[in-house]
Amino acid sequence: MTKIAVLVSGGGTNLQALIDAQNRGELKNGEITAVISSKAGAYALERAQKAGIPGYVVARKEYDSNRAMTQALVARLKELDIGLVVLAGFMHILTEEMVAAYPNAILNVHPALIPSFCGAGYYGLHVHEKALAYGVKVTGATVHFVNEEPDGGPIVLQKAVDILPGDTPEVLQRRVMEQAEWIILPKAVSLFCEGRLSVEGRTVLIQEGEL
Ligand code: GAR
């Protein structure tokens, strides 16, 4: 059984999708054993508590740099014997210590079809604002492994979502969550825990079986 830590910074709807999938028995061979928030008081921590999952705070503002926070996170994750780290609305860029500690064992969900609308400065609602400002007709979500480059690691799953006339960033954000993020994130986590993912260069190979 792979022990999973979910790292969050805010509302935690993606965390909730993972908890719901776990309760339906859809996280095969994995168990969420920790939720770690970069902010005290994040609603995601309440979701964890309601689900009976231990919650921890590694607050960004208590560290001088992203590096110092990353080192504290790695120490906590190792202490908890975590095998898979999931960034679910985690709003800080982790430094290379995290990737060195968890090579191809960190998954991130991003609310766009990478390589569009990604990288430094593209997070949360901004991603949808930028997609609408560009005038694209299709956007979506991506789950990828985390490497040293922000949003640049090998892609595990993607799902497209139509942009509709009159969309606001908020409306689009919700549709991308409902139609893409909340579906592909639990699937990718389960595939990892089942040992069905392997990485060749930039390509993630998915072993055959039920998706
Ligand atoms: C989600 O849309 C997630 O994809 C995005 O922030 C939102 C968090 O919502 N993450 C990023 O933009 C990371 N680059 P949640 O807290 O309700 O899951």
Side-chain angles (χ1 to χ4, degrees):
M1 187 69 81
T2 302
K3 290 185 182 173
I4 304 163
V6 184
L7 273 53
V8 296
S9 299
T13 65
N14 278 289
L15 167 66
Q16 192 64 53
L18 289 166
I19 293 170
D20 294 346
Q22 172 160 285
N23 291 341
R24 291 192 301 266
E26 289 172 12
L27 296 190
K28 295 182 199 124
N29 204 36
E31 188 184 353
I32 306 166
T33 57
V35 170
I36 306 180
S37 174
S38 62
K39 281 189 196 94
Y43 185 63
L45 287 169
E46 257 179 67
R47 296 182 190 271
Q49 197 189 9
K50 280 191 194 134
I53 300 166
Y56 306 87
V57 178
V58 176
R60 174 64 185 87
K61 64 173 191 203
E62 291 187 7
Y63 299 91
D64 291 342
S65 61
N66 276 358
R67 182 173 308 272
M69 179 188 62
T70 303
Q71 286 164 344
L73 274 169
V74 169
R76 179 57 61 89
L77 292 165
K78 290 293 175 189
E79 199 177 286
L80 295 169
D81 194 27
I82 295 300
L84 171 65
V85 181
V86 180
L87 310 183
F90 187 75
M91 297 303 182
H92 310 277
I93 293 179
L94 298 165
T95 55
E96 66 263 16
E97 289 85 351
M98 182 61 82
V99 181
Y102 286 94
N104 289 335
I106 310 166
L107 292 173
N108 179 48
V109 61
H110 182 74
L113 294 174
I114 290 174
S116 287
F117 309 113
C118 65
Y122 286 83
Y123 60 91
L125 206 57
H126 300 304
V127 179
H128 305 291
E129 284 164 3
K130 287 177 177 156
L132 288 174
Y134 201 92
V136 291
K137 301 295 188 198
V138 175
T139 184
T142 303
V143 177
H144 64 92
F145 281 119
V146 173
N147 65 8
E148 294 77 7
E149 192 191 331
D151 296 329
I155 290 170
V156 180
L157 293 175
Q158 291 187 298
K159 195 163 187 294
V161 174
D162 284 336
I163 288 177
L164 301 179
D167 270 351
T168 62
E170 290 79 6
V171 167
L172 182 59
Q173 179 179 51
R174 182 76 192 180
R175 186 179 317 116
V176 168
M177 285 175 160
E178 283 175 356
Q179 295 185 5
E181 295 184 54
W182 299 344
I183 298 165
I184 63 174
L185 182 60
K187 264 190 198 161
V189 166
S190 190
L191 287 169
F192 179 95
C193 295
E194 290 173 78
R196 287 170 59 192
L197 300 180
S198 55
V199 181
E200 276 185 18
R202 282 211 49 82
T203 303
V204 176
L205 304 176
I206 303 176
Q207 218 177 77
E208 299 255 330
E210 208 187 315
L211 247 196

